[in-house]
Amino acid sequence: MAESSKPSSSKSAKSRAERGADVATQRTTKGGSFQASPEAKSTALKLRIVAMVLWVAAIGLEIFTIVWALLPDKPVNTWLIIGLIVGIAVLTLIGSLLWKKANRYDPASEKDKVRFFVQNQLGVIMTILAFLPLIVLIFLDKNMDGKQKGILGTVAIAVAALVVVFSIDKDAPSVEQYSVETNVVKELTGADQVYWTKNGSAFHVCAEVPDLSRSKDIQSGSVTAAHEAGIPRLTKKWVSEATKNCGYTTADVDRVLGNVDDVNRTLDEDQVVEQSGELEVAPEVADEEPADEEPTTAPTTRTPATSTR
């Protein structure tokens, strides 16, 4: 029945596309493990040293604020405390941004989950250390009335929360991610060369993809260079882009994917459609239909992957 053949077809196409997204997000490590170059390690070390110096200075300023402006039995200058809070925030934030940048040059491994978390979220930890004692002592201070405590406490909490938001690394890099992405790109294209735009959310395996077509400033370089430029990941659409826009065949993609059965990632929202209550790969994303099956819907204008050049 046509009813039974359609799920089989969509499952096959979905499996291939989902495996592409899966490989791009660390489910396969074929090809070796990423190692930061000596130059990258040196750059990361310098950034981390500067970040630590700034964090130490921020905590020192916090201690100064507590000991000099809050603890002594004297009236508290509201504007002075606010100025000191802002100073602590600036030092902490710059340190966090530098630390995150250092992790792009020399990422941690996910195998040690504690170290991975601490290394990537150290900016948040240092922000808490730089603000929490100060916030607590503001509300416990006996030299301020309720209004002063409310103003200074609110300012300190708001500023600390803002710094935390910018310190969190939501796209924390890892050795495994760099390994997979580099291996995928090398296996598919034969070179460690990817393409991106300055404010892009992902990098691509060729410059001819639609996501880059609207930009006049397409940058290129290695996977590591893309991460160093602030691009968080290889696009999850690399499978469809490779065959539709970059001139690679389905066989080229299959060579990269190999036997990847651990599929637990979904496609991007714009890559799936709902049919009969079930999610299926959108026609413009799925690879070509199997040759031995009759299409159950009107043919699309999509060019088959194996006919690209």
Side-chain angles (χ1 to χ4, degrees), residues 104 178 194-196 203 221-233:
R104 266 63 189 167
Y178 281 27
V194 292
Y195 303 83
W196 67 91
F203 48 87
S222 65
V223 168
T224 305
H227 282 288
E228 291 171 359
I231 311 302
R233 62 177 173 83

Side-chain angles (χ1 to χ4, degrees), residues 200-263:
S201 60
F203 48 87
H204 307 262
V205 295
C206 75
E208 291 75 26
V209 300
D211 287 349
L212 300 180
S213 62
R214 296 179 296 274
S215 176
K216 295 180 180 179
D217 183 22
I218 299 175
Q219 302 179 27
S220 64
S222 65
V223 168
T224 305
H227 282 288
E228 291 171 359
I231 311 302
R233 62 177 173 83
L234 172 66
T235 177
K236 292 182 180 181
K237 299 182 290 186
W238 72 267
V239 167
S240 57
E241 289 183 349
T243 54
K244 289 174 61 179
N245 309 113
C246 301
Y248 298 102
T249 66
T250 302
D252 294 326
V253 172
D254 285 344
R255 185 184 70 250
V256 179
L257 295 179
N259 297 318
V260 182
D261 298 322
D262 180 17
V263 178

Side-chain angles (χ1 to χ4, degrees), residues 93 96-97 100 124 161-169:
L93 179 59
S96 296
L97 295 178
K100 287 203 294 185
V124 176
L162 187 63
V163 175
V164 165
V165 167
F166 283 99
S167 298
I168 294 174
D169 200 339

Side-chain angles (χ1 to χ4, degrees), residues 85-113:
I85 289 173
V86 171
I88 294 170
V90 170
L91 292 170
T92 307
L93 179 59
I94 295 175
S96 296
L97 295 178
L98 291 177
W99 189 270
K100 287 203 294 185
K101 187 173 182 62
N103 289 337
R104 266 63 189 167
Y105 285 90
D106 185 21
S109 171
E110 290 185 14
K111 292 180 180 179
D112 187 340
K113 296 191 179 300

Side-chain angles (χ1 to χ4, degrees), residues 21-87:
D22 193 54
V23 168
T25 47
Q26 307 171 30
R27 295 295 183 232
T28 289
T29 54
K30 177 182 177 182
S33 179
F34 168 83
Q35 289 186 340
S37 67
E39 294 79 8
K41 285 181 175 292
S42 176
T43 300
L45 178 60
K46 292 175 183 176
L47 291 171
R48 286 172 178 149
I49 290 175
V50 175
M52 291 300 298
V53 169
L54 291 172
W55 283 334
V56 170
I59 293 176
L61 188 57
E62 175 196 29
I63 295 172
F64 171 81
T65 303
I66 293 171
V67 173
W68 181 76
L70 290 180
L71 290 184
D73 189 13
K74 63 180 182 181
V76 174
N77 187 320
T78 302
W79 288 108
L80 176 61
I81 300 297
I82 291 177
L84 292 170
I85 289 173
V86 171

